[in-house]
Amino acid sequence: MQRIAVVPGSFDPVTRGHLDVIERAAGLYDELHVVVVHNPDKNALLPIAQRVSLIEQSIEEAGIAGRVVVASWSMGLLVDYCTDVGATVLVKGIRSQVDVAYETPMAIVNRHLAGVETVFLLPDPANAHVSSSLVRQVSALGGDVTPYVPPAVADFLAGARIP
Ligand code: PNS
């Protein structure tokens, strides 16, 4: 049986922490979908299509593009996307007890809704402090985000790839 997993998130923008989880999850499952979901609880910086494009460029740079599907989902429950593509697992990165508290109710609800299990991966310690909100703040104030994001995102945020 094909084991299909989904890494969901806002990815606003994708960080080195996200990419670490994506690369490791791609090694654990037969097929991996990275799905950009609008989170109404957060003020978005980038349009969804731009976030998808930056993930596509980042996984290309990382050499895993052939094994990962990048998509967005705005049609309802995340588990409906999982059902549509035959995914039985959600993969999330857990950096701290704050993440555990945030993710636990969602994991329970997603299992109740559709039997979709959630697997938590611990980040590489080098990325444990990295978040998209930190990246947005440092970038907005003119700081160097190169250590925190894939090269494609650093270039984009520096203005080199603004269409
Ligand atoms: O990167 P984020 O913002 O922490 O990701 C949160 C996200 C998008 C994964 C979460 O908000 C989500 O799963 N949204 C989908 C809506 C949904 O299915 N809600 C009900 C079950 S939790």
Side-chain angles (χ1 to χ4, degrees), residues 31 53 77:
E31 187 176 314
S53 170
L77 292 169

Side-chain angles (χ1 to χ4, degrees), residues 8-11 37 39 42 76-78 92 102 106 109-110 113:
S10 301
F11 302 110
V37 184
N39 185 343
K42 294 181 178 175
L77 292 169
L78 178 61
K92 304 272 189 93
Y102 175 65
M106 291 196 283
V109 168
N110 285 325
L113 284 169

